[in-house]
Amino acid sequence: MKPTTVIGFLGSTLDAAKFGPSRWNKWRPTVSICMQEDLRVDRFVLIHGSYHRRLAEFVMQDIRDVSPETEVVPHVMDFEDAWDFEEVYGKLLDFAREFEFDPDAHDYLIHITTGTHVAQICLFLLTEARYLPGKLLQTQPHKGAPQPIGTWASIDLDLSRYDSIASRFAEASAESTSFLKSGIETRNAAFNRMIEEIEQVAVRSRAPILLMGPTGAGKSQLARKVYELKKLRHQVEGPFVEVNCATLKGDSAMSALFGHKKGAFTGAVQDRPGLLKSADKGLLFLDEIGELGLDEQAMILRAIEEGRFLPVGADTEAKSEFQLIAGTNRNLLDEVAAGNFREDLFARLNLWTFALPGLAERREDIEPNLDYELERFAEREGTRVTFNKEARDRYLAFAESPSARWQGNFRDLAASVTRMATLCPTGRIDREAVDFETGRLARLWSGDKAEIGVLTDLLGKDRVGAIDPFDRVQLEYVFDVCRHSASLSDAGRTLFAASREQRTSTNDSDRLRKYLAKFGLDWGAVTQ
């Protein structure tokens, strides 16, 4: 066994006792260490102040009496203020640097039961940082009748040696990664490793994060989950602010991002704080950051690095402390080479870069995401819809096959589930519904104009963007029925087949005409 050295403070209160035999009935932590049957102390470095020299000599003599083999080494350390953290830590650090440690030949125990709370904290920190290369030593009296010996325990700050603590850390980390994945039990090993790394970065760093990947790969959802995780850990106080940079064009981009002062330009009738200011103390997600102009990129860079920026028309700078997550479906290296993206901004964003794979690269994750989308539909619409076994197997066989291109990634899958669930009045998706949907997806991916951009062709991109996703799915289905019906009345009978049986008078063509009119359409426009 290697010889053991204990380093600890003299307890000016706990170690004090009246002279005489009665003192051996009292628990004194420093003396009790040398009375333990299962702990051999070869050397005891006793730290004390000049004011307590007499008490120190008294305690050292008692140690020699109970443990003659223990060498007691007094070390005087005076503090002007024993509760001043900076002073106590500095002097203990000097002590640790000057002490001749030899961890290969000696074991060291750092006693943290005595001394002020500040001293105990400093001893802990110095041991954790390995300036004091040993284990922590805790002592305590026996419960009940007073006994002088008490108990002791050593604490190794290498937590990996504590199975129960290590398992708790592993469980907490697993819960965080599951949270980032919205509870979806994903199976793709590379994706799971990436999420584990993002979890560590999210809770340990405030540096910008860059999420790269195709449209629909889940960048926005992941950014929001990172924010919610940091919120749970009390690492952010402010809001989550999401900005689609593709919508910021021209002069309005500067105003939207950085705000403006009243009168800065025509139409600026009042002050506007801007999105960066709104994200103060929170998290700013700049989606499609590659769409920003070079001027906006320069100001974003300064805001990231200094937390300051100049609103449009302002004489004084505004301040905002936020964490940034940027998203892009572009290759920013190529954009830098082409002169479309600032090299210094890319360098600032590129510390933590994660490339999210598309759904086609994660086919083994389609099944758990299918269940997730069904749950989302149930929460959103208040109706639970399920597959029958044959239909589920049939859909998954198609979805996981190489022919399924999933060009829109998870947006395609979400829309597909929404269509099947919406058009299944019985709450059970059957084989016929699956065949209809997989045929539609196949035509969509094959480039059939009847499926691609039909809403955009009829309504225009801006109007389609203003329609809720749920209404778009319904409207697409109405268009499909109309294109395959002989007349307006025929299409109405198909679309309102269930409700028409419950009414005494029916005018399905009029109902369909009014529905189309809500979107500025008529029968001729839909069927041309």
Side-chain angles (χ1 to χ4, degrees), residues 258 277 302 306-311 314-320:
F258 309 106
K277 185 64 177 179
R302 184 162 183 259
E306 302 179 16
R308 295 181 291 124
F309 53 90
L310 191 66
D315 296 324
T316 58
E317 293 179 322
K319 295 181 179 180
S320 181

Side-chain angles (χ1 to χ4, degrees), residues 293-513:
L294 294 175
D295 291 341
E296 290 83 7
Q297 292 175 29
M299 289 188 66
I300 287 289
L301 176 61
R302 184 162 183 259
I304 296 171
E305 294 183 333
E306 302 179 16
R308 295 181 291 124
F309 53 90
L310 191 66
V312 178
D315 296 324
T316 58
E317 293 179 322
K319 295 181 179 180
S320 181
E321 297 292 337
F322 57 85
Q323 180 169 359
L324 176 70
I325 298 182
T328 181
N329 62 5
R330 297 186 177 191
N331 185 322
L332 292 187
L333 268 176
D334 292 344
E335 296 298 306
V336 169
N340 298 324
F341 200 83
R342 292 181 63 99
E343 185 175 5
D344 49 3
L345 178 56
F346 177 71
R348 190 70 176 84
L349 297 176
N350 198 33
L351 175 62
W352 298 112
T353 300
F354 302 96
L356 275 63
L359 185 57
E361 300 174 65
R362 296 172 49 197
R363 295 182 188 275
E364 64 268 55
D365 288 339
I366 290 176
E367 183 173 12
N369 275 279
L370 178 66
D371 295 329
Y372 172 72
E373 292 299 339
L374 286 171
E375 286 295 327
R376 281 217 307 172
F377 180 86
E379 292 174 4
R380 187 171 64 244
E381 305 301 335
T383 302
R384 185 164 295 279
V385 177
T386 59
F387 284 87
N388 66 39
K389 187 178 186 309
E390 182 187 14
R392 181 184 178 88
D393 291 345
R394 194 173 182 86
Y395 184 82
L396 286 173
F398 168 82
E400 296 172 354
S401 68
S403 61
R405 298 171 60 184
W406 296 115
Q407 294 168 317
N409 296 294
F410 291 93
R411 290 178 183 170
D412 272 0
L413 181 62
S416 178
V417 172
T418 298
R419 282 190 292 268
M420 289 186 290
T422 301
L423 303 176
C424 182
T426 63
R428 192 81 164 164
I429 300 173
D430 55 21
R431 176 174 174 170
E432 182 181 358
V434 166
D435 288 345
F436 183 85
E437 175 59 24
T438 54
R440 183 187 188 284
L441 288 172
R443 292 192 300 274
L444 174 70
W445 295 329
S446 69
D448 188 341
K449 190 177 184 298
E451 296 294 342
I452 295 180
V454 61
L455 291 184
T456 302
D457 289 344
L458 288 170
L459 300 173
K461 184 176 180 180
D462 292 340
R463 289 183 62 192
V464 170
I467 300 175
D468 288 333
F470 178 80
D471 291 327
R472 288 203 296 268
V473 171
Q474 188 179 59
L475 193 54
E476 285 177 353
Y477 181 72
V478 170
F479 288 169
D480 186 72
V481 170
C482 289
R483 288 198 305 271
H484 293 87
S485 299
S487 64
L488 183 66
S489 298
D490 183 35
R493 283 191 294 271
T494 301
L495 290 167
F496 307 118
S499 61
R500 74 192 308 269
E501 300 296 332
Q502 302 169 12
R503 292 181 283 116
T504 54
S505 62
T506 59
N507 190 344
D508 298 322
S509 59
D510 185 58
R511 288 184 69 187
L512 178 54
R513 186 182 296 107

